[in-house]
């Protein structure tokens, strides 16, 4: 059986190799960037592991044997889920590998913005020792944070900011009042969240319904001096609308781990904004989370190819109506 790793950003693949070490598995390691490169590498693959390379409908229609595609990380926006489901291909991800890391990173950006850490550091390094240049700074326990999305990561973040005294409101159409009550947060509409929050942190996956969901209309509802943090996906926030909101003073500062097009263009206006803090899509990273993510991405492959089961983290659950898995290879070493 052929397993293709379409692309990766690691100095070696020791964690993947350990999981996929089996006499009946051939692992092919590529660095594909285009659809054509993916098709050439994967047309006869039984399984695919993917990072950033495009797994579009066109790619999927050219896969002859593929049973499972797993993606490094939480988001699956590189993969056409509808096409995969139609062709009976399971799609797996790793939704739980970096919950603490991403929530910690979001918290770090929040504190940096609210306490003016990054901007004050630059002011001092530029030769000025003057607290007045960092004003205004608000007391944290007087502020309300709005979480857009309330999955595993924002739920963990809610606990951390509540310990600092922030009031937490949440907008998520898939979350019940019961869950909100258990987490001691207030469930509101996106419109109400934009109107009431002093700081907004974005935590939704990228799909057709969330692309640009924080745009001109939403910024128009926000109180002047709001802060915005995005550790989810760049295109969820309309960058043109965000830039306009920054320039008008509606947004006092932004902390962005993700942007619409990565890596950032050297001419991007964010780079010239002193009140925009940027990190290179690193929120989910730690040495421990990287090992967990890479191992679990490979385990999704062995779930299907070696155990004949759906991957533990099956994204496109509708595929169960298309294909009933069977055991292709059974090996006691893989009875996890």
């Amino acid at each position: 059986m052929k397993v293709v790793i379409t692309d990766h950003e690691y100095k070696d693949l020791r964690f993947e190799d350990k999981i996929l070490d089996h006499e009946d598995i051939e692992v092919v390691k590529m660095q594909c960037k285009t659809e054509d490169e993916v098709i050439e590498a994967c047309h006869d693959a039984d399984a695919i592991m993917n990072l950033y390379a495009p797994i579009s409908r066109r790619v999927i229609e050219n896969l002859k044997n593929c049973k499972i595609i797993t993606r490094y990380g939480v988001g699956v926006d590189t993969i056409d889920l509808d096409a995969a489901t139609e062709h009976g291909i399971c799609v797996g991800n790793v939704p739980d590998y970096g919950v603490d890391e991403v929530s910690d990173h979001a918290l770090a950006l929040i504190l940096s913005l609210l306490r003016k850490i990054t901007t004050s550091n630059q002011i001092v390094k530029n030769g000025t020792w003057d607290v007045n240049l960092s004003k205004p700074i608000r007391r944290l326990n007087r502020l309300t944070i709005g979480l857009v999305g309330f999955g595993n990561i924002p739920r963990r973040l809610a606990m951390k900011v509540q310990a600092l005294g922030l009031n937490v409101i949440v907008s998520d159409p898939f979350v019940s009042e019961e869950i909100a009550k258990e987490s001691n947060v207030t469930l509101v509409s996106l419109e109400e969240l934009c109107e009431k929050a002093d700081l907004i942190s974005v935590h939704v996956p990228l799909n057709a319904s969330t692309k640009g969901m924080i745009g001109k209309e939403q910024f128009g509802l926000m109180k002047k001096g709001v802060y915005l943090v995005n550790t989810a996906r760049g295109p969820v926030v309309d960058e043109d609308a965000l830039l306009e909101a920054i320039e008008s003073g509606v947004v006092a500062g932004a902390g962005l781990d993700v942007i619409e097009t990565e890596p950032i263009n050297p001419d991007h206006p964010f780079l010239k904004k002193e009140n925009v803090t940027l990190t290179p899509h690193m929120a989910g990273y730690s040495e421990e989370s990287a090992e967990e993510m890479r191992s679990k991405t490979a385990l999704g492959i062995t779930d299907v190819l070696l155990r004949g089961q759906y991957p533990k983290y099956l994204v496109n659950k509708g595929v169960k109506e298309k294909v009933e898995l069977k055991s292709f290879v059974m090996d006691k070493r893989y009875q996890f």
Side-chain angles (χ1 to χ4, degrees):
M1 293 175 288
K2 180 178 178 181
V3 177
V4 177
I5 300 175
T6 61
D7 59 313
H8 66 89
E9 55 186 6
Y10 317 115
K11 64 180 181 180
D12 60 53
L13 293 168
R14 63 188 185 280
F15 303 121
E16 294 85 344
D17 288 338
K18 181 179 179 180
I19 300 296
L20 298 172
D21 179 21
H22 190 280
E23 60 185 1
D24 291 327
I25 288 182
E26 172 195 9
V27 181
V28 179
K29 303 164 184 176
M30 304 295 292
Q31 289 292 9
C32 301
K33 296 185 182 301
T34 67
E35 290 182 3
D36 288 337
E37 289 173 344
V38 176
I39 291 170
E40 183 177 355
C42 301
H43 68 278
D44 59 345
D46 294 280
I48 296 171
M49 293 172 62
N50 169 253
L51 184 58
Y52 297 126
I55 311 294
S56 63
R57 176 173 289 275
R58 175 170 169 258
V59 169
I60 289 170
E61 289 175 347
N62 281 276
L63 302 178
K64 300 176 182 178
N65 303 319
C66 190
K67 305 165 185 68
I68 170 71
I69 301 169
T70 58
R71 185 170 189 279
Y72 288 105
V74 182
V76 289
D77 44 286
T78 59
I79 303 167
D80 189 319
L81 293 178
D82 290 338
T85 303
E86 290 169 19
H87 287 76
I89 300 173
C90 299
V91 176
N93 66 345
V94 190
D96 59 354
Y97 81 97
V99 172
D100 268 316
E101 284 78 4
V102 179
S103 59
D104 285 347
H105 198 89
L107 178 59
L109 290 171
I110 288 166
L111 290 174
S112 179
L113 290 171
L114 294 180
R115 293 298 310 169
K116 306 290 182 68
I117 302 298
T118 303
T119 53
S120 297
N121 172 67
Q122 196 57 53
I123 289 169
V124 172
K125 287 184 174 180
N126 288 340
T128 303
W129 188 276
D130 186 353
V131 67
N132 292 299
L133 297 179
S134 298
K135 295 178 180 178
I137 296 177
R138 299 281 307 282
R139 181 173 289 178
L140 297 185
N141 62 17
R142 300 290 180 88
L143 303 180
T144 293
I145 182 172
L147 303 179
V148 182
F150 202 55
N152 292 332
I153 291 167
R155 290 182 199 186
R156 191 69 57 86
L157 176 60
M159 296 170 58
K160 294 172 182 178
V161 297
Q162 284 167 343
L164 297 173
L166 277 80
N167 175 49
V168 183
I169 60 176
V170 169
S171 174
D172 190 324
F174 303 104
V175 169
S176 66
E177 289 285 356
E178 182 180 1
I179 290 174
K181 186 176 181 180
E182 289 174 358
S183 301
N184 195 29
V185 302
T186 303
L187 201 58
V188 298
S189 66
L190 180 58
E191 291 74 17
E192 187 176 352
L193 182 147
C194 291
E195 292 171 350
K196 291 185 174 181
D198 299 292
L199 181 139
I200 295 171
S201 190
V202 180
H203 300 278
V204 295
L206 177 62
N207 53 46
S209 64
T210 63
K211 185 175 181 180
M213 71 179 295
I214 306 298
K216 190 168 185 176
E217 179 181 348
Q218 288 69 39
F219 286 114
L221 296 172
M222 296 177 193
K223 61 177 71 174
K224 189 169 184 177
V226 71
Y227 293 92
L228 178 78
V229 167
N230 187 5
T231 53
R233 284 294 186 269
V236 173
V237 177
D238 184 320
E239 286 187 0
D240 290 336
L242 173 56
L243 282 164
E244 184 178 330
I246 291 171
E247 290 168 359
S248 69
V250 169
V251 172
L256 308 174
D257 185 56
V258 289
I259 58 172
E260 284 188 5
T261 302
E262 299 173 6
I264 194 167
N265 188 302
D267 297 324
H268 199 295
F270 283 156
L271 296 173
K272 298 179 176 65
K273 300 293 182 185
E274 293 182 358
N275 57 346
V276 175
T277 300
L278 298 163
T279 55
H281 203 150
M282 60 181 282
Y285 180 76
S286 70
E287 295 296 323
E288 294 81 3
S289 70
E291 178 178 355
E292 182 180 2
M293 175 188 68
R294 292 165 59 185
S295 298
K296 286 183 174 180
T297 303
L299 285 169
I301 301 296
T302 60
D303 280 344
V304 175
L305 297 189
L306 299 178
R307 301 179 69 197
Q309 299 178 1
Y310 296 105
K312 181 178 180 180
Y313 305 108
L314 179 65
V315 177
N316 58 335
K317 292 179 172 53
V319 77
K320 291 183 178 181
E321 300 176 4
K322 292 282 185 179
V323 59
E324 181 178 349
L325 296 181
K326 63 180 180 179
S327 179
F328 299 99
V329 175
M330 292 303 292
D331 188 312
K332 291 182 179 179
R333 291 180 297 165
Y334 292 87
Q335 302 305 302
F336 301 109

